Amino acid sequence: MTETETIVVIGAGVIGISTALCLQPQLDRSQSILIVARDFPNTTSLNYASPWAGAHYRPVPGLSPQAVREEKQAQRTYEHFKVVAAQEPGAGVKAIDGIEHLESPPAEYLDEAVIQQSYAHLDDFRPLPPSELPVGVKWGVSYRTFVVNPPVYCAHMLRQFVLKGGQTKEHTVVNPMEAFYLAGNVKTVINCTGMGFADPKSFIIRGQTCLVRNPCSATITRQNSDGTWSFCIPRPLEGGTIIGGTKQPHNWDPNPSSDTRQQLLANAAKWFPFPPASEAKFDVLRDIVGRRPAREGGVRLEAETVGDGRRIVHGYGLGGRGFELSWGVASDVVSLMQEHGLVQGKSLL
């Protein structure tokens, strides 16, 4: 009798769980999946990025190879969210209006071809005429998008994974080679750890946001004239609204700043559509500090041979776009495994 091969996924953030769930239908009967992680969706470690995310789907225009690759991953994720929101109302994904207001749009936002490439796939996408733009805003668009309640969505996916036969193990992996010894007959390890293992290209981006109880009718992103960004993201299933936010590369301070909170809330009171009854006051549930696992050059997607026919497949380093790119990256990891003969299922493309 052939021994079952176990594929180990390291990491139970949105990328690790998405990858495991995306991979399950591609397995043959002799293969199984084990997710090994320090943190799972029921935990709130500062270094476990997924629960702290906003999270919403928003395109990021660009012409670089990284931007083009991420746009393809984003579009596949958008289509996946569309199915999840329609078929699984308890998953924590909801369709909503998305609006962007830019006071000083970068060059890529003024390139019509780039905008079409990045936004045309969105339902109800339309550029906003000057008559619909707030004072000071030079560029704007609206579209139908998705907002996510991250802890609910990750827990939902993990539950699906387990119900389909997946296994989990709480363990802190200090070297990816260790994962080959955490189950029987492990030939493939998938590294979805966010930062990788001592990858010199990896770095954190500290973000501070504020979770408030106040409901909001749309997700709005605003670029300010000084180059900073503000946003409001309502979380489905009565999860409150995230008001953000900051981006501070290489900043390891775990403590929220009260001055930052005041600025975030002041901006939100000016620009975002909270009910009039709020009277520009917010019922603050908590300040949030998270560490986005970024990487120079973007996500690492690579199959590495480590001897004796064993492979480590890497899928990490998405920075602040983990949820937006999640299903696209997961399907790319699965396709990479198919290319190398590590699974035999039909192509996802």
Side-chain angles (χ1 to χ4, degrees):
M1 184 176 179
T2 303
E3 182 182 5
T4 298
E5 175 195 350
T6 301
I7 297 171
V8 174
V9 176
I10 310 175
V14 66
I15 302 302
I17 303 175
S18 296
T19 298
L21 196 58
C22 187
L23 180 59
Q24 273 183 315
Q26 308 300 316
L27 304 184
D28 63 31
R29 293 182 179 180
S30 67
Q31 294 176 306
S32 64
I33 306 177
L34 170 68
I35 295 178
V36 177
R38 178 196 62 211
D39 300 299
F40 282 89
N42 62 321
T43 60
T44 54
S45 164
L46 176 61
N47 295 308
Y48 177 45
S50 291
W52 308 116
H56 64 170
Y57 181 96
R58 175 183 167 267
V60 178
L63 289 171
S64 69
Q66 176 186 343
V68 172
R69 179 178 69 244
E70 290 184 356
E71 186 49 49
K72 293 178 181 178
Q73 293 163 341
Q75 291 187 22
R76 293 200 297 276
T77 305
Y78 184 82
E79 293 303 315
H80 178 70
F81 280 166
K82 190 179 297 187
V83 173
V84 173
Q87 298 182 0
E88 304 173 58
V93 179
K94 181 180 179 181
I96 196 172
D97 288 335
I99 300 168
E100 298 184 31
H101 291 150
L102 276 63
E103 294 185 1
S104 181
E108 56 268 26
Y109 284 86
L110 304 177
D111 186 322
E112 185 60 29
V114 174
I115 294 303
Q116 285 298 313
Q117 175 181 290
S118 301
Y119 287 87
H121 67 285
L122 298 166
D123 292 339
D124 299 338
F125 166 68
R126 69 183 184 95
L128 297 177
S131 61
E132 294 184 35
L133 298 178
V135 174
V137 171
K138 304 291 194 302
W139 183 94
V141 293
S142 66
Y143 46 82
R144 288 294 284 177
T145 189
F146 297 96
V147 289
V148 180
N149 187 321
V152 172
Y153 179 58
C154 288
H156 171 82
M157 287 198 298
L158 186 62
R159 184 168 59 251
Q160 284 189 316
F161 169 74
V162 171
L163 289 174
K164 293 176 181 178
Q167 301 292 314
T168 65
K169 180 180 180 68
E170 185 177 326
H171 181 81
T172 300
V173 179
V174 297
N175 186 299
M177 295 303 296
E178 180 184 1
F180 288 100
Y181 302 94
L182 297 179
N185 195 25
V186 178
K187 298 178 182 178
T188 304
V189 169
I190 306 175
N191 174 16
C192 296
T193 53
M195 295 286 287
F197 290 90
D199 183 339
K201 293 185 177 182
S202 291
F203 62 98
I204 64 149
I205 301 176
R206 179 186 181 276
Q208 180 173 334
T209 61
C210 190
L211 177 63
V212 301
R213 197 183 304 276
N214 309 54
C216 191
S217 58
T219 178
I220 299 181
T221 302
R222 180 169 177 133
Q223 181 230 34
N224 312 314
S225 57
D226 62 2
T228 61
W229 294 78
S230 302
F231 54 81
C232 63
I233 305 173
R235 282 184 165 183
L237 303 177
E238 299 184 359
T241 300
I242 292 286
I243 295 174
T246 65
K247 293 183 179 180
Q248 299 171 298
H250 308 287
N251 186 324
W252 289 90
D253 186 355
N255 304 300
S257 160
S258 59
D259 290 342
T260 298
R261 179 214 271 199
Q262 291 176 14
Q263 187 62 57
L264 295 178
L265 296 182
N267 288 345
K270 285 190 295 184
W271 295 326
F272 301 147
F274 289 95
S278 297
E279 297 180 344
K281 298 177 182 178
F282 296 98
D283 184 358
V284 175
L285 296 174
R286 68 177 299 161
D287 295 302
I288 293 174
V289 172
R291 293 170 178 160
R292 305 175 180 100
R295 184 174 182 273
E296 296 173 15
V299 62
R300 183 183 181 188
L301 279 169
E302 179 185 0
E304 178 184 5
T305 301
V306 292
D308 300 327
R310 296 184 295 185
R311 301 288 182 94
I312 298 176
V313 180
H314 301 281
Y316 66 86
L318 279 76
R321 302 197 71 195
F323 283 84
E324 291 168 302
L325 306 182
S326 56
W327 203 255
V329 170
S331 61
D332 281 347
V333 169
V334 174
S335 294
L336 193 59
M337 294 180 69
Q338 291 169 340
E339 291 172 18
H340 289 271
L342 304 177
V343 288
Q344 304 301 321
K346 63 182 181 179
S347 174
L348 297 174
L349 302 179

Tab-separated table of all heavy atoms in Angstrom, residues 270-293:
chain	number	residue	atom	x	y	z
A	270	LYS	N	-14.269	64.513	8.326
A	270	LYS	CA	-14.376	65.482	7.229
A	270	LYS	C	-14.841	64.834	5.927
A	270	LYS	O	-15.601	65.427	5.152
A	270	LYS	CB	-13.009	66.150	6.979
A	270	LYS	CG	-12.604	67.182	8.007
A	270	LYS	CD	-11.367	67.939	7.545
A	270	LYS	CE	-10.153	67.030	7.437
A	270	LYS	NZ	-8.920	67.788	7.080
A	271	TRP	N	-14.376	63.609	5.660
A	271	TRP	CA	-14.436	63.093	4.298
A	271	TRP	C	-15.336	61.878	4.074
A	271	TRP	O	-15.714	61.595	2.944
A	271	TRP	CB	-13.029	62.731	3.829
A	271	TRP	CG	-12.113	63.914	3.724
A	271	TRP	CD1	-12.449	65.191	3.356
A	271	TRP	CD2	-10.706	63.937	3.983
A	271	TRP	NE1	-11.343	66.001	3.359
A	271	TRP	CE2	-10.245	65.260	3.739
A	271	TRP	CE3	-9.773	62.980	4.373
A	271	TRP	CZ2	-8.923	65.637	3.886
A	271	TRP	CZ3	-8.450	63.351	4.522
A	271	TRP	CH2	-8.032	64.669	4.283
A	272	PHE	N	-15.670	61.148	5.117
A	272	PHE	CA	-16.308	59.857	4.886
A	272	PHE	C	-17.778	59.864	5.308
A	272	PHE	O	-18.168	60.578	6.239
A	272	PHE	CB	-15.533	58.759	5.610
A	272	PHE	CG	-14.095	58.656	5.169
A	272	PHE	CD1	-13.102	58.275	6.055
A	272	PHE	CD2	-13.734	58.935	3.863
A	272	PHE	CE1	-11.774	58.180	5.658
A	272	PHE	CE2	-12.415	58.848	3.436
A	272	PHE	CZ	-11.426	58.470	4.343
A	273	PRO	N	-18.615	59.052	4.625
A	273	PRO	CA	-20.079	59.132	4.788
A	273	PRO	C	-20.625	58.376	5.995
A	273	PRO	O	-21.367	57.402	5.851
A	273	PRO	CB	-20.587	58.519	3.479
A	273	PRO	CG	-19.560	57.489	3.127
A	273	PRO	CD	-18.239	58.088	3.553
A	274	PHE	N	-20.271	58.819	7.182
A	274	PHE	CA	-20.883	58.248	8.375
A	274	PHE	C	-22.250	58.896	8.589
A	274	PHE	O	-22.488	60.026	8.153
A	274	PHE	CB	-19.977	58.462	9.582
A	274	PHE	CG	-18.741	57.623	9.557
A	274	PHE	CD1	-17.549	58.126	9.063
A	274	PHE	CD2	-18.775	56.311	9.995
A	274	PHE	CE1	-16.396	57.350	9.023
A	274	PHE	CE2	-17.643	55.516	9.954
A	274	PHE	CZ	-16.455	56.031	9.465
A	275	PRO	N	-23.184	58.195	9.229
A	275	PRO	CA	-24.531	58.753	9.423
A	275	PRO	C	-24.489	60.102	10.139
A	275	PRO	O	-23.649	60.323	11.016
A	275	PRO	CB	-25.223	57.687	10.287
A	275	PRO	CG	-24.469	56.422	10.017
A	275	PRO	CD	-23.047	56.840	9.786
A	276	PRO	N	-25.381	61.018	9.777
A	276	PRO	CA	-25.422	62.340	10.432
A	276	PRO	C	-25.527	62.241	11.948
A	276	PRO	O	-25.016	63.105	12.673
A	276	PRO	CB	-26.656	63.003	9.827
A	276	PRO	CG	-26.839	62.324	8.503
A	276	PRO	CD	-26.383	60.910	8.693
A	277	ALA	N	-26.176	61.195	12.422
A	277	ALA	CA	-26.345	61.042	13.870
A	277	ALA	C	-25.010	60.867	14.592
A	277	ALA	O	-24.933	61.059	15.812
A	277	ALA	CB	-27.241	59.848	14.164
A	278	SER	N	-23.983	60.489	13.851
A	278	SER	CA	-22.669	60.337	14.479
A	278	SER	C	-22.127	61.668	14.981
A	278	SER	O	-21.309	61.700	15.917
A	278	SER	CB	-21.668	59.737	13.478
A	278	SER	OG	-22.054	58.439	13.086
A	279	GLU	N	-22.527	62.749	14.333
A	279	GLU	CA	-22.092	64.093	14.723
A	279	GLU	C	-20.572	64.201	14.794
A	279	GLU	O	-20.003	64.838	15.700
A	279	GLU	CB	-22.710	64.486	16.068
A	279	GLU	CG	-24.239	64.559	16.026
A	279	GLU	CD	-24.831	64.953	17.363
A	279	GLU	OE1	-24.110	64.873	18.377
A	279	GLU	OE2	-26.010	65.335	17.394
A	280	ALA	N	-19.912	63.554	13.830
A	280	ALA	CA	-18.439	63.590	13.748
A	280	ALA	C	-17.762	63.011	14.992
A	280	ALA	O	-16.600	63.315	15.273
A	280	ALA	CB	-17.947	64.999	13.479
A	281	LYS	N	-18.505	62.188	15.741
A	281	LYS	CA	-17.934	61.532	16.909
A	281	LYS	C	-17.894	60.033	16.658
A	281	LYS	O	-18.768	59.488	15.992
A	281	LYS	CB	-18.771	61.836	18.157
A	281	LYS	CG	-18.810	63.318	18.513
A	281	LYS	CD	-19.705	63.572	19.711
A	281	LYS	CE	-19.784	65.061	20.024
A	281	LYS	NZ	-20.687	65.350	21.167
A	282	PHE	N	-16.887	59.380	17.218
A	282	PHE	CA	-16.693	57.969	16.930
A	282	PHE	C	-16.659	57.141	18.209
A	282	PHE	O	-16.079	57.564	19.218
A	282	PHE	CB	-15.393	57.766	16.151
A	282	PHE	CG	-15.418	58.410	14.791
A	282	PHE	CD1	-14.842	59.658	14.592
A	282	PHE	CD2	-16.042	57.789	13.724
A	282	PHE	CE1	-14.873	60.264	13.346
A	282	PHE	CE2	-16.088	58.391	12.475
A	282	PHE	CZ	-15.501	59.625	12.294
A	283	ASP	N	-17.311	55.996	18.123
A	283	ASP	CA	-17.288	55.030	19.215
A	283	ASP	C	-16.106	54.098	18.937
A	283	ASP	O	-16.220	53.127	18.189
A	283	ASP	CB	-18.609	54.259	19.243
A	283	ASP	CG	-18.705	53.295	20.410
A	283	ASP	OD1	-17.723	53.191	21.179
A	283	ASP	OD2	-19.735	52.621	20.539
A	284	VAL	N	-14.967	54.402	19.521
A	284	VAL	CA	-13.730	53.683	19.226
A	284	VAL	C	-13.702	52.351	19.969
A	284	VAL	O	-13.862	52.296	21.193
A	284	VAL	CB	-12.493	54.527	19.605
A	284	VAL	CG1	-11.213	53.720	19.395
A	284	VAL	CG2	-12.457	55.810	18.784
A	285	LEU	N	-13.510	51.277	19.207
A	285	LEU	CA	-13.400	49.950	19.799
A	285	LEU	C	-11.958	49.629	20.165
A	285	LEU	O	-11.693	49.052	21.211
A	285	LEU	CB	-13.934	48.890	18.826
A	285	LEU	CG	-15.420	48.998	18.505
A	285	LEU	CD1	-15.815	48.012	17.423
A	285	LEU	CD2	-16.246	48.744	19.764
A	286	ARG	N	-11.024	49.995	19.273
A	286	ARG	CA	-9.619	49.770	19.599
A	286	ARG	C	-8.722	50.448	18.577
A	286	ARG	O	-9.130	50.688	17.428
A	286	ARG	CB	-9.284	48.273	19.645
A	286	ARG	CG	-9.340	47.553	18.313
A	286	ARG	CD	-8.915	46.096	18.451
A	286	ARG	NE	-7.550	45.994	18.939
A	286	ARG	CZ	-7.038	44.888	19.500
A	286	ARG	NH1	-7.807	43.828	19.656
A	286	ARG	NH2	-5.787	44.862	19.889
A	287	ASP	N	-7.519	50.763	18.996
A	287	ASP	CA	-6.460	51.158	18.072
A	287	ASP	C	-5.766	49.883	17.601
A	287	ASP	O	-5.575	48.941	18.377
A	287	ASP	CB	-5.444	52.066	18.774
A	287	ASP	CG	-6.056	53.385	19.198
A	287	ASP	OD1	-6.568	54.097	18.316
A	287	ASP	OD2	-6.028	53.698	20.400
A	288	ILE	N	-5.392	49.870	16.346
A	288	ILE	CA	-4.766	48.692	15.762
A	288	ILE	C	-3.391	49.060	15.225
A	288	ILE	O	-3.235	50.033	14.491
A	288	ILE	CB	-5.629	48.117	14.619
A	288	ILE	CG1	-6.946	47.551	15.177
A	288	ILE	CG2	-4.880	47.032	13.848
A	288	ILE	CD1	-7.909	47.098	14.108
A	289	VAL	N	-2.393	48.282	15.611
A	289	VAL	CA	-1.067	48.361	15.003
A	289	VAL	C	-0.761	46.997	14.410
A	289	VAL	O	-0.873	45.970	15.092
A	289	VAL	CB	0.020	48.741	16.036
A	289	VAL	CG1	1.412	48.625	15.413
A	289	VAL	CG2	-0.205	50.151	16.550
A	290	GLY	N	-0.426	46.973	13.136
A	290	GLY	CA	-0.097	45.722	12.461
A	290	GLY	C	1.187	45.871	11.673
A	290	GLY	O	1.635	46.981	11.374
A	291	ARG	N	1.789	44.729	11.338
A	291	ARG	CA	3.033	44.713	10.575
A	291	ARG	C	2.801	43.990	9.254
A	291	ARG	O	2.681	42.762	9.223
A	291	ARG	CB	4.140	44.036	11.382
A	291	ARG	CG	4.538	44.832	12.607
A	291	ARG	CD	5.454	44.063	13.537
A	291	ARG	NE	5.847	44.905	14.675
A	291	ARG	CZ	6.317	44.432	15.821
A	291	ARG	NH1	6.451	43.123	16.000
A	291	ARG	NH2	6.654	45.266	16.789
A	292	ARG	N	2.740	44.765	8.186
A	292	ARG	CA	2.513	44.171	6.870
A	292	ARG	C	3.804	43.509	6.390
A	292	ARG	O	4.858	44.155	6.363
A	292	ARG	CB	2.075	45.248	5.884
A	292	ARG	CG	0.854	46.064	6.320
A	292	ARG	CD	0.583	47.175	5.326
A	292	ARG	NE	-0.559	48.002	5.682
A	292	ARG	CZ	-0.463	49.197	6.280
A	292	ARG	NH1	0.735	49.693	6.586
A	292	ARG	NH2	-1.542	49.899	6.553
A	293	PRO	N	3.748	42.248	5.980
A	293	PRO	CA	4.973	41.542	5.566
A	293	PRO	C	5.311	41.820	4.098
A	293	PRO	O	4.847	41.136	3.192
A	293	PRO	CB	4.620	40.075	5.792
A	293	PRO	CG	3.136	40.021	5.577
A	293	PRO	CD	2.589	41.356	6.026
